[in-house]
Amino acid sequence: MPTFEGDLKDYNATLGVKDEANGWKHDISFTAGGNEQLYTVSNTVNHSLGAKSPTSYKPGGYRFTHAVGNIDISKAVTDNFYVAFGSEARTETYKIIAGDTASYSGQGANSFPGIVQKMQLPTVVST
């Protein structure tokens, strides 16, 4: 019976500082994180490779990373009136990771065909 396994690496960290000076409140933070999911399939074959077909493959996976910076500043002018402003900057990267050539050659592995090398281009989004 074919097996399908995933190897997930996941991380996230945030650092921040809150302070107040002369009635102005400051909140500054930075977050970085991401994950990577790689797959393994076993007990399957790629019939296109005939007798040379392996029975275990690394069909590829996906990777995502992000970084976010944030700043918020506020001050109470009166009991009923506040002044506040802030900003956030973010960047993200998403990547499709190609699999072993044997996982996608011809018809690909029977249980889960691999990700083709030409699909491996990263995408970066910034805001």
Side-chain angles (χ1 to χ4, degrees), residues 8-89:
L8 176 64
K9 295 176 186 166
D10 195 17
Y11 65 94
N12 191 53
T14 299
L15 296 172
V17 176
K18 284 186 176 185
D19 195 15
E20 186 172 344
N22 298 323
W24 287 95
K25 294 181 181 181
H26 310 86
D27 185 351
I28 302 169
S29 65
F30 177 78
T31 299
N35 59 54
E36 179 179 84
Q37 176 71 59
L38 298 175
Y39 300 105
T40 301
V41 293
S42 299
N43 300 323
T44 189
V45 295
N46 180 339
H47 287 292
S48 301
L49 301 178
K52 294 181 181 181
S53 175
T55 58
S56 184
Y57 303 89
K58 299 284 189 183
Y62 306 93
R63 179 181 301 132
F64 168 79
T65 61
H66 72 146
V68 181
N70 183 289
I71 183 169
D72 296 313
I73 300 172
S74 64
K75 181 175 183 171
V77 178
T78 69
D79 287 342
N80 297 323
F81 184 72
Y82 286 78
V83 174
F85 56 93
S87 183
E88 181 172 287

